[in-house]
Amino acid sequence: MLQVSRFFNRLTGALALAAAALALAGCVTSTSSLDLLDSTTPTGSPFTQALFRNYALVAKSFNITPDSDDLGIFGDSGGTLQTLAEAFATKALIAAKGTEVDPEPSYDDESARARDRLLRALGVGKDRFPNDAARAQVEFDCWMLNMTVGSQQGAAIQCRSGFEAAITRLERDINPPQIAPPAPTSANYTVYFNFNSWTLTGEQLTVLQQAIATARAGGQSHITIVGHTDTVGSDAYNLRLSSKRANVVAETLVDMGARRDAIQVSGVGKADLAVQTPNGVREPKNRRSVVTLLP
């Protein structure tokens, strides 16, 4: 009997408060709240209009009709589901008049924490994200009111899950997760030279312009340039030639906007061939400078 009394007090109390607010809002009528939903056009803020739609949806989900045989603990005067449906419908009609409906009171520590969480989110988000805010409040009320009915525990659990999803979405709306920019990665560009030359052609200048554009967009802050030669000529001569090829690339990149102190230059002569050849072979792919962009 104690549980029945608590259920009666909470449901009828909620319905009485809602009805009183409805009367103050100017909707006094002898017709049930459920009967008025379809003929009601909501006004007010986007938030109160969203409350109306969500409360009305929950009220109609009980499928109460004039022929309903849900007597529950109230006998012939009206069943349990009828009272729940009327409570949600009355909340919907109050919201339809532009009045913000307070969330249901909590019933234990867990629901009290959930209600506090809801109120914080509503305070910041109901005007900016009215649909998600209304959904979170109605799911909370659905959880609270269904918990008062023994046969509605399954529905209460569903509404609790719905509340968790809705409040999480609302909080994410308010404070969207910060997406870190992708970390800079290394990138390589190769320019090629004619035989026994360290002069850049127009085609190779285009390659270096691409390298500069990539460095600016990708956030790379260091550049290494390594000059190479083919296997024609002495080691000493090719070492000097490879250094000239690396340095001309470095100077060109500086002219294009790169910081000189960000560039490291070296020449390796015949070492580290792109294409392995015997000594004395003119291989175009070995006559090169490799530009590497580093974070």
Side-chain angles (χ1 to χ4, degrees):
M1 286 301 295
L2 181 59
Q3 290 182 341
V4 170
S5 175
R6 287 176 177 172
F7 163 71
F8 180 85
N9 290 338
R10 185 179 183 98
L11 263 292
T12 56
L15 195 54
L17 287 173
L22 188 58
L24 290 174
C27 273
V28 180
T29 177
S30 59
T31 307
S32 76
S33 297
L34 275 169
D35 294 335
L36 293 173
L37 291 179
D38 290 335
S39 60
T40 298
T41 300
T43 60
S45 69
F47 175 59
T48 59
Q49 293 184 48
L51 281 177
F52 166 78
R53 292 191 297 270
N54 281 272
Y55 278 128
L57 187 65
V58 175
K60 292 177 181 179
S61 71
F62 290 96
N63 295 318
I64 302 299
T65 67
D67 299 326
S68 293
D69 189 24
D70 174 42
L71 301 183
I73 63 172
F74 293 115
D76 293 337
S77 63
T80 304
L81 299 186
Q82 177 76 41
T83 304
L84 279 169
E86 282 292 325
F88 285 110
T90 304
K91 286 173 176 284
L93 294 178
I94 296 169
K97 290 296 181 180
T99 301
E100 294 186 6
V101 183
D102 288 335
E104 282 291 307
S106 55
Y107 68 89
D108 61 6
D109 289 343
E110 179 188 9
S111 59
R113 289 191 295 271
R115 190 175 192 273
D116 288 342
R117 181 182 175 189
L118 172 64
L119 291 176
R120 286 193 299 271
L122 291 178
V124 179
K126 63 183 174 64
D127 294 327
R128 296 165 56 198
F129 311 102
N131 292 326
D132 284 348
R135 181 64 181 271
Q137 175 168 328
V138 174
E139 290 283 9
F140 178 82
D141 284 359
C142 182
W143 172 20
M144 293 300 100
L145 288 177
N146 276 293
M147 279 298 295
T148 64
V149 183
S151 62
Q152 289 293 105
Q153 297 306 296
I157 292 172
Q158 289 183 344
C159 293
R160 176 183 174 185
S161 296
F163 167 73
E164 286 294 335
I167 194 66
T168 299
R169 185 164 54 250
L170 177 57
E171 291 169 339
R172 189 179 295 118
D173 290 339
I174 296 168
N175 294 302
Q178 299 298 315
I179 300 176
T185 58
S186 61
N188 292 327
Y189 292 85
T190 303
V191 294
Y192 295 96
F193 297 86
N194 292 326
F195 178 72
N196 200 31
S197 170
W198 60 90
T199 301
L200 292 167
T201 66
E203 181 180 356
Q204 307 312 318
L205 290 174
T206 299
V207 173
L208 295 182
Q209 288 171 344
Q210 293 173 348
I212 286 292
T214 299
R216 286 172 177 159
Q220 291 90 349
S221 57
H222 300 283
I223 301 173
T224 64
I225 305 169
V226 181
H228 301 263
T229 68
D230 59 24
T231 59
V232 177
S234 68
D235 291 346
Y237 177 82
N238 279 298
L239 189 61
R240 292 192 298 272
L241 178 59
S242 66
S243 295
K244 290 179 180 179
R245 287 172 174 171
N247 279 296
V248 73
V249 170
E251 293 301 320
T252 302
L253 290 177
V254 170
D255 290 342
M256 290 179 175
R259 292 183 298 108
R260 190 179 300 275
D261 60 359
I263 299 175
Q264 180 179 349
V265 178
S266 62
V268 296
K270 300 181 188 181
D272 194 17
L273 298 173
V275 178
Q276 295 300 319
T277 68
N279 202 34
V281 175
R282 296 186 179 187
E283 171 52 55
K285 290 186 178 179
N286 285 335
R287 301 192 296 263
R288 70 201 192 279
S289 283
V290 179
V291 179
T292 302
L293 308 179
L294 300 168

